[in-house]
Amino acid sequence: MSAPNLQTTALMTEHLGYPPISLLDDIINCVNDILYKCTNAMEKYLLKKSEVNGEDYSHEIRVGIAQLETLLENSLDRNFDRLELYVLRNVLRIPEELIVSNVFRLKHQKNMVLAKKTLRKISESSMRSKMEEIEHELDRNKQLKELLSRVKHLKVKVENYKNFVKRICIIETPELRPVYESLRPIDNSIVLLTKQLKQLYESSEEICSTDAVNAIRRERREKERQRQQELDNNTIKFEIREPNLNLLNSIP
């Protein structure tokens, strides 16, 4: 059978909850642990009896155990490579013909109904419109945050100005009382000016609201983009039609 491809591996990973190769890696790691425990136990046992007739054979025992361990590792790798190929191609594998014919489904896909092409187009268009609405709301939220920061800054300035005016209005000497009384009409002028500014703001908001300003900005950006595209196209045409002066000069 053919080797598993990326799609079958992804489906098996989704079905099992872990990659198929990780199962084989765990098995190989467990067998390697048993192998090393066996060689270590054999080395400890032989080192206890390394002296024979007064001669120490510890070095020969360590060299022999290392060679045995290398031999077992090579044999283990060779046989488990075959096991890995067999399991991935015959056990932990989804037949490719089931995927091509779209008949294979996972448990959570059992009652799933595939929408038709027209319904998919409708859903895509509605999703795009929702994304545009979200982008518009994010842009509007950004503008509102900027306005809010400006209002907070202006509020601090007004509070400072109010405290300053309060300090000025404290009349401690009788000579300044007439001057203060002469400035009282300014209060009415400020109130009148505030009302006029409020009416001007409301009228300007009705004529040109934030949405209208955004629409004008988008239209201006689109016109600039089209103008730049026309300039680029004209530049390309000019470069194509420009004659080769060197070639013309070479003609007798």
Side-chain angles (χ1 to χ4, degrees):
M1 300 183 74
S2 60
N5 53 24
L6 183 61
Q7 187 177 8
T8 57
T9 303
L11 287 173
M12 284 301 302
T13 303
E14 185 178 359
H15 173 64
L16 298 174
Y18 54 86
I21 191 67
S22 63
L23 176 62
L24 297 170
D25 291 338
D26 291 340
I27 295 173
I28 294 172
N29 291 332
C30 291
V31 176
N32 283 327
D33 291 338
I34 296 173
L35 169 65
Y36 296 137
K37 287 179 180 179
C38 291
T39 53
N40 289 332
M42 188 182 298
E43 183 178 3
K44 289 180 181 180
Y45 176 77
L46 293 175
L47 287 175
K48 290 179 181 179
K49 299 181 180 181
S50 60
E51 292 185 3
V52 178
N53 296 326
E55 294 185 7
D56 189 8
Y57 293 94
S58 300
H59 178 69
E60 288 79 2
I61 291 173
R62 291 190 176 90
V63 172
I65 292 296
Q67 292 176 353
L68 176 63
E69 191 174 274
T70 303
L71 181 64
L72 292 175
E73 285 177 350
N74 292 331
S75 177
L76 188 67
D77 292 338
R78 183 173 60 254
N79 287 283
F80 271 91
D81 286 342
R82 296 176 182 174
L83 175 65
E84 180 178 340
L85 291 174
Y86 178 82
V87 171
L88 292 178
R89 290 184 178 182
N90 299 279
V91 181
L92 300 177
R93 180 181 177 276
I94 301 171
E96 190 173 355
E97 56 272 12
L98 297 179
I99 300 175
V100 173
S101 58
N102 293 325
V103 297
F104 179 81
R105 292 189 179 184
L106 298 175
K107 186 176 180 180
H108 62 274
Q109 299 173 344
K110 184 177 180 181
N111 298 322
M112 184 177 66
V113 178
L114 297 177
K116 296 181 180 179
K117 190 174 182 179
T118 56
L119 294 176
R120 289 201 299 270
K121 288 183 178 179
I122 293 172
S123 62
E124 289 175 359
S125 63
S126 63
M127 188 179 296
R128 281 195 295 270
S129 63
K130 290 292 183 183
M131 290 177 65
E132 291 176 356
E133 290 179 2
I134 292 172
E135 291 177 355
H136 175 69
E137 291 297 330
L138 289 174
D139 191 12
R140 189 173 182 181
N141 190 18
K142 182 180 178 181
Q143 294 178 3
L144 290 175
K145 284 183 178 180
E146 292 177 355
L147 291 174
L148 182 60
S149 63
R150 293 177 184 176
V151 169
K152 289 181 178 179
H153 187 63
L154 182 60
K155 182 181 178 182
V156 173
K157 288 185 176 181
V158 170
E159 290 291 337
N160 294 332
Y161 178 73
K162 183 179 179 181
N163 295 329
F164 176 73
V165 171
K166 285 182 178 179
R167 288 196 301 269
I168 292 176
C169 292
I170 297 174
I171 307 301
E172 296 180 353
T173 58
E175 291 82 5
L176 294 178
R177 176 64 62 180
V179 178
Y180 176 71
E181 294 295 335
S182 64
L183 294 175
R184 281 189 177 277
I186 296 178
D187 296 339
N188 298 328
S189 301
I190 293 175
V191 173
L192 180 61
L193 182 60
T194 305
K195 291 181 180 179
Q196 291 179 353
L197 287 174
K198 185 177 180 182
Q199 292 176 359
L200 180 61
Y201 173 77
E202 292 176 354
S203 60
S204 63
E205 184 67 19
E206 293 177 359
I207 295 173
C208 188
S209 61
T210 306
D211 296 335
V213 171
N214 293 332
I216 293 172
R217 289 178 179 174
R218 287 194 295 269
E219 185 178 358
R220 185 178 299 173
R221 286 196 296 267
E222 183 66 22
K223 288 182 179 179
E224 290 178 356
R225 187 183 64 80
Q226 292 177 359
R227 189 182 300 109
Q228 185 64 33
Q229 188 175 2
E230 291 177 359
L231 291 174
D232 294 339
N233 294 333
N234 293 333
T235 304
I236 294 171
K237 291 179 181 178
F238 178 75
E239 291 177 354
I240 293 173
R241 295 179 181 178
E242 185 179 3
N244 191 345
L245 298 178
N246 296 327
L247 181 63
L248 292 174
N249 295 328
S250 63
I251 297 174

